[in-house]
Amino acid sequence: MTNITKNLQAVRQSIREAASSCDRDPESVTLVAVSKRHSTEAIRTAYAAGQRDFGENYAQEQRDKAVELADLDGIRWHFIGHLQRNKAKHVAPSCALVETVDSVRLVEELSRQAVRLDRVVSCLVQVNVGEEEQKFGCDREEVEEILRAVEKAEGLELEGLMTIPPWDLEPQETRVHFSALAQLRERHGGRARLPHLSMGMSHDFQVAIEEGATMVRVGTAIFGPRT
Ligand SMILES: *Cc1c(COP(=O)(O)O)cnc(C)c1O
């Protein structure tokens, strides 16, 4: 068994344990394997081990990998990096889900691309819940306007919220960011309107699951360190 296959099994096991420990159905948590800066070979290995959801951060890299891996039936690409409007055209053809929608202007461009391609692209609105000096994600006050823009937009489907806490926090310090995202969902229509919460990475996905994550984005714990 390759390391990737073993790592995947271990991560899936941790997800099951974290979900059970807080009385959640493990099936309610989708594992997104973050494959940025890893090879298409690594992705094929994970796919062969049953993984279907993959996350990428760079628009051209995502586009090129999707083309190269077009033979992998049922693969679901998540775009999880900061998306500039002029790069929306790269990810719109193959992404099932863009997790980093953080402005009305990006919504408009994504919609234009989705309509052009006759596709439906699911969207999560990325929120900078900590409101510290982070570059990306919208502020809390902007959330409702962006949610409405996604709901109105042709070719887009609103699926929930996403957040990235500051990178240097310890797992237990990220908890307040995750619970803040869950509370924000309650303020904006709850599960009926926003079924998904994407939060948690290799070092803190257990905490995120305890706080209600339905998507966890795990790179290093599956694929090893990025080069
Ligand atoms: C890279 C990345 C991840 C995965 O991080 P790991 O620590 O390798 O698990 C998750 N989410 C986002 C937004 C990322 O950029």
Side-chain angles (χ1 to χ4, degrees), residues 182-207:
Q183 282 165 23
L184 203 59
R185 164 165 74 178
E186 293 317 307
R187 227 170 298 142
H188 290 277
R191 272 161 228 254
R193 187 186 192 197
L194 302 166
H196 286 290
L197 292 180
S198 173
M199 52 193 199
M201 315 195 293
S202 288
H203 71 298
D204 58 11
F205 67 84
Q206 289 95 337
V207 175

PDB file of all heavy atoms in Angstrom, residues 182-207:
ATOM      1  N   ALA A 182     -20.273  28.799  12.304  1.00  0.00           N
ATOM      2  CA  ALA A 182     -21.537  28.087  12.541  1.00  0.00           C
ATOM      3  C   ALA A 182     -22.628  29.054  13.020  1.00  0.00           C
ATOM      4  O   ALA A 182     -23.782  28.966  12.602  1.00  0.00           O
ATOM      5  CB  ALA A 182     -21.325  26.959  13.545  1.00  0.00           C
ATOM      6  N   GLN A 183     -22.251  29.993  13.885  1.00  0.00           N
ATOM      7  CA  GLN A 183     -23.226  30.990  14.359  1.00  0.00           C
ATOM      8  C   GLN A 183     -23.678  31.912  13.234  1.00  0.00           C
ATOM      9  O   GLN A 183     -24.842  32.278  13.144  1.00  0.00           O
ATOM     10  CB  GLN A 183     -22.619  31.840  15.477  1.00  0.00           C
ATOM     11  CG  GLN A 183     -22.596  31.125  16.817  1.00  0.00           C
ATOM     12  CD  GLN A 183     -21.663  31.830  17.800  1.00  0.00           C
ATOM     13  OE1 GLN A 183     -21.386  33.019  17.658  1.00  0.00           O
ATOM     14  NE2 GLN A 183     -21.182  31.082  18.784  1.00  0.00           N
ATOM     15  N   LEU A 184     -22.740  32.252  12.373  1.00  0.00           N
ATOM     16  CA  LEU A 184     -23.059  33.117  11.237  1.00  0.00           C
ATOM     17  C   LEU A 184     -24.097  32.434  10.343  1.00  0.00           C
ATOM     18  O   LEU A 184     -25.011  33.066   9.823  1.00  0.00           O
ATOM     19  CB  LEU A 184     -21.777  33.391  10.452  1.00  0.00           C
ATOM     20  CG  LEU A 184     -21.754  34.634   9.594  1.00  0.00           C
ATOM     21  CD1 LEU A 184     -21.987  35.885  10.418  1.00  0.00           C
ATOM     22  CD2 LEU A 184     -20.406  34.725   8.876  1.00  0.00           C
ATOM     23  N   ARG A 185     -23.931  31.117  10.178  1.00  0.00           N
ATOM     24  CA  ARG A 185     -24.919  30.390   9.383  1.00  0.00           C
ATOM     25  C   ARG A 185     -26.312  30.527  10.000  1.00  0.00           C
ATOM     26  O   ARG A 185     -27.283  30.747   9.283  1.00  0.00           O
ATOM     27  CB  ARG A 185     -24.547  28.915   9.283  1.00  0.00           C
ATOM     28  CG  ARG A 185     -25.734  28.090   8.800  1.00  0.00           C
ATOM     29  CD  ARG A 185     -25.365  26.735   8.334  1.00  0.00           C
ATOM     30  NE  ARG A 185     -25.042  25.843   9.429  1.00  0.00           N
ATOM     31  CZ  ARG A 185     -24.730  24.565   9.248  1.00  0.00           C
ATOM     32  NH1 ARG A 185     -24.687  24.058   8.030  1.00  0.00           N
ATOM     33  NH2 ARG A 185     -24.438  23.799  10.271  1.00  0.00           N
ATOM     34  N   GLU A 186     -26.390  30.417  11.328  1.00  0.00           N
ATOM     35  CA  GLU A 186     -27.704  30.529  11.980  1.00  0.00           C
ATOM     36  C   GLU A 186     -28.317  31.896  11.728  1.00  0.00           C
ATOM     37  O   GLU A 186     -29.508  32.028  11.520  1.00  0.00           O
ATOM     38  CB  GLU A 186     -27.596  30.263  13.481  1.00  0.00           C
ATOM     39  CG  GLU A 186     -27.216  28.821  13.820  1.00  0.00           C
ATOM     40  CD  GLU A 186     -27.970  27.804  12.971  1.00  0.00           C
ATOM     41  OE1 GLU A 186     -29.218  27.871  12.922  1.00  0.00           O
ATOM     42  OE2 GLU A 186     -27.318  26.959  12.321  1.00  0.00           O
ATOM     43  N   ARG A 187     -27.462  32.913  11.702  1.00  0.00           N
ATOM     44  CA  ARG A 187     -27.965  34.266  11.481  1.00  0.00           C
ATOM     45  C   ARG A 187     -28.430  34.503  10.049  1.00  0.00           C
ATOM     46  O   ARG A 187     -29.146  35.443   9.760  1.00  0.00           O
ATOM     47  CB  ARG A 187     -26.856  35.273  11.819  1.00  0.00           C
ATOM     48  CG  ARG A 187     -27.340  36.408  12.681  1.00  0.00           C
ATOM     49  CD  ARG A 187     -26.177  37.246  13.201  1.00  0.00           C
ATOM     50  NE  ARG A 187     -25.282  36.471  14.038  1.00  0.00           N
ATOM     51  CZ  ARG A 187     -23.955  36.607  14.035  1.00  0.00           C
ATOM     52  NH1 ARG A 187     -23.361  37.458  13.222  1.00  0.00           N
ATOM     53  NH2 ARG A 187     -23.223  35.874  14.843  1.00  0.00           N
ATOM     54  N   HIS A 188     -27.978  33.631   9.129  1.00  0.00           N
ATOM     55  CA  HIS A 188     -28.302  33.860   7.710  1.00  0.00           C
ATOM     56  C   HIS A 188     -29.118  32.719   7.115  1.00  0.00           C
ATOM     57  O   HIS A 188     -28.915  32.341   5.966  1.00  0.00           O
ATOM     58  CB  HIS A 188     -27.020  34.085   6.908  1.00  0.00           C
ATOM     59  CG  HIS A 188     -26.349  35.387   7.222  1.00  0.00           C
ATOM     60  ND1 HIS A 188     -26.711  36.585   6.651  1.00  0.00           N
ATOM     61  CD2 HIS A 188     -25.364  35.677   8.108  1.00  0.00           C
ATOM     62  CE1 HIS A 188     -25.960  37.559   7.147  1.00  0.00           C
ATOM     63  NE2 HIS A 188     -25.141  37.034   8.035  1.00  0.00           N
ATOM     64  N   GLY A 189     -30.010  32.168   7.906  1.00  0.00           N
ATOM     65  CA  GLY A 189     -30.953  31.209   7.318  1.00  0.00           C
ATOM     66  C   GLY A 189     -30.734  29.760   7.699  1.00  0.00           C
ATOM     67  O   GLY A 189     -31.488  28.896   7.266  1.00  0.00           O
ATOM     68  N   GLY A 190     -29.677  29.484   8.465  1.00  0.00           N
ATOM     69  CA  GLY A 190     -29.477  28.118   8.965  1.00  0.00           C
ATOM     70  C   GLY A 190     -29.199  27.096   7.866  1.00  0.00           C
ATOM     71  O   GLY A 190     -28.848  27.455   6.746  1.00  0.00           O
ATOM     72  N   ARG A 191     -29.350  25.841   8.257  1.00  0.00           N
ATOM     73  CA  ARG A 191     -29.027  24.741   7.347  1.00  0.00           C
ATOM     74  C   ARG A 191     -29.863  24.717   6.088  1.00  0.00           C
ATOM     75  O   ARG A 191     -29.414  24.253   5.037  1.00  0.00           O
ATOM     76  CB  ARG A 191     -29.279  23.396   8.045  1.00  0.00           C
ATOM     77  CG  ARG A 191     -28.104  22.888   8.823  1.00  0.00           C
ATOM     78  CD  ARG A 191     -28.569  21.863   9.826  1.00  0.00           C
ATOM     79  NE  ARG A 191     -27.967  22.209  11.117  1.00  0.00           N
ATOM     80  CZ  ARG A 191     -26.966  21.534  11.660  1.00  0.00           C
ATOM     81  NH1 ARG A 191     -26.508  20.448  11.078  1.00  0.00           N
ATOM     82  NH2 ARG A 191     -26.428  21.928  12.782  1.00  0.00           N
ATOM     83  N   ALA A 192     -31.106  25.176   6.192  1.00  0.00           N
ATOM     84  CA  ALA A 192     -32.006  25.103   5.029  1.00  0.00           C
ATOM     85  C   ALA A 192     -31.431  25.933   3.881  1.00  0.00           C
ATOM     86  O   ALA A 192     -31.485  25.536   2.719  1.00  0.00           O
ATOM     87  CB  ALA A 192     -33.377  25.624   5.409  1.00  0.00           C
ATOM     88  N   ARG A 193     -30.866  27.077   4.234  1.00  0.00           N
ATOM     89  CA  ARG A 193     -30.307  27.933   3.188  1.00  0.00           C
ATOM     90  C   ARG A 193     -28.840  27.606   2.913  1.00  0.00           C
ATOM     91  O   ARG A 193     -28.361  27.715   1.791  1.00  0.00           O
ATOM     92  CB  ARG A 193     -30.433  29.396   3.637  1.00  0.00           C
ATOM     93  CG  ARG A 193     -30.038  30.397   2.565  1.00  0.00           C
ATOM     94  CD  ARG A 193     -30.052  31.803   3.148  1.00  0.00           C
ATOM     95  NE  ARG A 193     -29.956  32.832   2.135  1.00  0.00           N
ATOM     96  CZ  ARG A 193     -29.630  34.086   2.417  1.00  0.00           C
ATOM     97  NH1 ARG A 193     -29.412  34.451   3.674  1.00  0.00           N
ATOM     98  NH2 ARG A 193     -29.530  34.979   1.447  1.00  0.00           N
ATOM     99  N   LEU A 194     -28.115  27.233   3.970  1.00  0.00           N
ATOM    100  CA  LEU A 194     -26.660  27.049   3.889  1.00  0.00           C
ATOM    101  C   LEU A 194     -26.281  25.670   4.443  1.00  0.00           C
ATOM    102  O   LEU A 194     -25.788  25.554   5.570  1.00  0.00           O
ATOM    103  CB  LEU A 194     -25.960  28.154   4.693  1.00  0.00           C
ATOM    104  CG  LEU A 194     -26.285  29.597   4.267  1.00  0.00           C
ATOM    105  CD1 LEU A 194     -25.826  30.599   5.317  1.00  0.00           C
ATOM    106  CD2 LEU A 194     -25.641  29.895   2.912  1.00  0.00           C
ATOM    107  N   PRO A 195     -26.513  24.620   3.653  1.00  0.00           N
ATOM    108  CA  PRO A 195     -26.282  23.275   4.183  1.00  0.00           C
ATOM    109  C   PRO A 195     -24.817  22.975   4.538  1.00  0.00           C
ATOM    110  O   PRO A 195     -24.572  22.167   5.425  1.00  0.00           O
ATOM    111  CB  PRO A 195     -26.771  22.345   3.065  1.00  0.00           C
ATOM    112  CG  PRO A 195     -26.966  23.195   1.850  1.00  0.00           C
ATOM    113  CD  PRO A 195     -27.131  24.616   2.309  1.00  0.00           C
ATOM    114  N   HIS A 196     -23.870  23.636   3.874  1.00  0.00           N
ATOM    115  CA  HIS A 196     -22.472  23.252   4.092  1.00  0.00           C
ATOM    116  C   HIS A 196     -21.641  24.303   4.828  1.00  0.00           C
ATOM    117  O   HIS A 196     -21.776  25.499   4.600  1.00  0.00           O
ATOM    118  CB  HIS A 196     -21.793  22.926   2.760  1.00  0.00           C
ATOM    119  CG  HIS A 196     -22.236  21.613   2.223  1.00  0.00           C
ATOM    120  ND1 HIS A 196     -21.886  20.420   2.789  1.00  0.00           N
ATOM    121  CD2 HIS A 196     -23.049  21.316   1.177  1.00  0.00           C
ATOM    122  CE1 HIS A 196     -22.436  19.430   2.129  1.00  0.00           C
ATOM    123  NE2 HIS A 196     -23.150  19.938   1.143  1.00  0.00           N
ATOM    124  N   LEU A 197     -20.767  23.777   5.693  1.00  0.00           N
ATOM    125  CA  LEU A 197     -19.732  24.582   6.344  1.00  0.00           C
ATOM    126  C   LEU A 197     -18.397  23.929   6.026  1.00  0.00           C
ATOM    127  O   LEU A 197     -18.128  22.799   6.458  1.00  0.00           O
ATOM    128  CB  LEU A 197     -19.917  24.583   7.862  1.00  0.00           C
ATOM    129  CG  LEU A 197     -21.124  25.296   8.456  1.00  0.00           C
ATOM    130  CD1 LEU A 197     -21.105  25.155   9.989  1.00  0.00           C
ATOM    131  CD2 LEU A 197     -21.159  26.776   8.057  1.00  0.00           C
ATOM    132  N   SER A 198     -17.558  24.614   5.252  1.00  0.00           N
ATOM    133  CA  SER A 198     -16.233  24.090   4.933  1.00  0.00           C
ATOM    134  C   SER A 198     -15.224  24.731   5.873  1.00  0.00           C
ATOM    135  O   SER A 198     -14.956  25.935   5.801  1.00  0.00           O
ATOM    136  CB  SER A 198     -15.871  24.406   3.476  1.00  0.00           C
ATOM    137  OG  SER A 198     -14.526  24.041   3.228  1.00  0.00           O
ATOM    138  N   MET A 199     -14.675  23.920   6.773  1.00  0.00           N
ATOM    139  CA  MET A 199     -13.690  24.442   7.738  1.00  0.00           C
ATOM    140  C   MET A 199     -12.909  23.282   8.318  1.00  0.00           C
ATOM    141  O   MET A 199     -13.426  22.175   8.457  1.00  0.00           O
ATOM    142  CB  MET A 199     -14.384  25.268   8.829  1.00  0.00           C
ATOM    143  CG  MET A 199     -15.547  24.585   9.521  1.00  0.00           C
ATOM    144  SD  MET A 199     -16.513  25.754  10.509  1.00  0.00           S
ATOM    145  CE  MET A 199     -17.378  24.601  11.620  1.00  0.00           C
ATOM    146  N   GLY A 200     -11.633  23.550   8.616  1.00  0.00           N
ATOM    147  CA  GLY A 200     -10.766  22.517   9.170  1.00  0.00           C
ATOM    148  C   GLY A 200      -9.790  21.999   8.132  1.00  0.00           C
ATOM    149  O   GLY A 200     -10.161  21.772   6.977  1.00  0.00           O
ATOM    150  N   MET A 201      -8.521  21.852   8.551  1.00  0.00           N
ATOM    151  CA  MET A 201      -7.454  21.363   7.694  1.00  0.00           C
ATOM    152  C   MET A 201      -6.718  20.247   8.440  1.00  0.00           C
ATOM    153  O   MET A 201      -7.195  19.764   9.456  1.00  0.00           O
ATOM    154  CB  MET A 201      -6.526  22.510   7.323  1.00  0.00           C
ATOM    155  CG  MET A 201      -7.286  23.764   6.915  1.00  0.00           C
ATOM    156  SD  MET A 201      -6.312  25.006   6.078  1.00  0.00           S
ATOM    157  CE  MET A 201      -5.225  25.508   7.352  1.00  0.00           C
ATOM    158  N   SER A 202      -5.522  19.872   7.944  1.00  0.00           N
ATOM    159  CA  SER A 202      -4.839  18.703   8.523  1.00  0.00           C
ATOM    160  C   SER A 202      -4.725  18.756  10.038  1.00  0.00           C
ATOM    161  O   SER A 202      -4.928  17.758  10.713  1.00  0.00           O
ATOM    162  CB  SER A 202      -3.423  18.567   7.945  1.00  0.00           C
ATOM    163  OG  SER A 202      -3.494  18.128   6.604  1.00  0.00           O
ATOM    164  N   HIS A 203      -4.393  19.927  10.581  1.00  0.00           N
ATOM    165  CA  HIS A 203      -4.069  19.954  12.007  1.00  0.00           C
ATOM    166  C   HIS A 203      -5.263  20.227  12.913  1.00  0.00           C
ATOM    167  O   HIS A 203      -5.140  20.130  14.119  1.00  0.00           O
ATOM    168  CB  HIS A 203      -2.937  20.951  12.291  1.00  0.00           C
ATOM    169  CG  HIS A 203      -3.356  22.387  12.135  1.00  0.00           C
ATOM    170  ND1 HIS A 203      -3.792  22.907  10.947  1.00  0.00           N
ATOM    171  CD2 HIS A 203      -3.429  23.392  13.035  1.00  0.00           C
ATOM    172  CE1 HIS A 203      -4.094  24.185  11.117  1.00  0.00           C
ATOM    173  NE2 HIS A 203      -3.889  24.497  12.371  1.00  0.00           N
ATOM    174  N   ASP A 204      -6.407  20.565  12.314  1.00  0.00           N
ATOM    175  CA  ASP A 204      -7.530  20.922  13.195  1.00  0.00           C
ATOM    176  C   ASP A 204      -8.892  20.432  12.701  1.00  0.00           C
ATOM    177  O   ASP A 204      -9.921  20.937  13.138  1.00  0.00           O
ATOM    178  CB  ASP A 204      -7.552  22.442  13.418  1.00  0.00           C
ATOM    179  CG  ASP A 204      -7.659  23.226  12.118  1.00  0.00           C
ATOM    180  OD1 ASP A 204      -7.927  22.621  11.065  1.00  0.00           O
ATOM    181  OD2 ASP A 204      -7.481  24.457  12.160  1.00  0.00           O
ATOM    182  N   PHE A 205      -8.893  19.436  11.796  1.00  0.00           N
ATOM    183  CA  PHE A 205     -10.201  19.036  11.258  1.00  0.00           C
ATOM    184  C   PHE A 205     -11.094  18.370  12.305  1.00  0.00           C
ATOM    185  O   PHE A 205     -12.321  18.467  12.221  1.00  0.00           O
ATOM    186  CB  PHE A 205     -10.068  18.186   9.992  1.00  0.00           C
ATOM    187  CG  PHE A 205      -9.461  16.823  10.168  1.00  0.00           C
ATOM    188  CD1 PHE A 205     -10.243  15.741  10.558  1.00  0.00           C
ATOM    189  CD2 PHE A 205      -8.112  16.616   9.923  1.00  0.00           C
ATOM    190  CE1 PHE A 205      -9.677  14.476  10.707  1.00  0.00           C
ATOM    191  CE2 PHE A 205      -7.546  15.355  10.070  1.00  0.00           C
ATOM    192  CZ  PHE A 205      -8.329  14.278  10.472  1.00  0.00           C
ATOM    193  N   GLN A 206     -10.475  17.740  13.317  1.00  0.00           N
ATOM    194  CA  GLN A 206     -11.315  17.128  14.367  1.00  0.00           C
ATOM    195  C   GLN A 206     -12.108  18.202  15.109  1.00  0.00           C
ATOM    196  O   GLN A 206     -13.304  18.044  15.373  1.00  0.00           O
ATOM    197  CB  GLN A 206     -10.452  16.339  15.377  1.00  0.00           C
ATOM    198  CG  GLN A 206      -9.855  15.060  14.813  1.00  0.00           C
ATOM    199  CD  GLN A 206      -8.434  15.257  14.295  1.00  0.00           C
ATOM    200  OE1 GLN A 206      -8.027  16.376  13.952  1.00  0.00           O
ATOM    201  NE2 GLN A 206      -7.673  14.172  14.219  1.00  0.00           N
ATOM    202  N   VAL A 207     -11.415  19.313  15.427  1.00  0.00           N
ATOM    203  CA  VAL A 207     -12.083  20.427  16.114  1.00  0.00           C
ATOM    204  C   VAL A 207     -13.203  20.989  15.227  1.00  0.00           C
ATOM    205  O   VAL A 207     -14.312  21.273  15.691  1.00  0.00           O
ATOM    206  CB  VAL A 207     -11.056  21.537  16.458  1.00  0.00           C
ATOM    207  CG1 VAL A 207     -11.741  22.751  17.058  1.00  0.00           C
ATOM    208  CG2 VAL A 207      -9.986  21.004  17.403  1.00  0.00           C
TER     209      VAL A 207
END
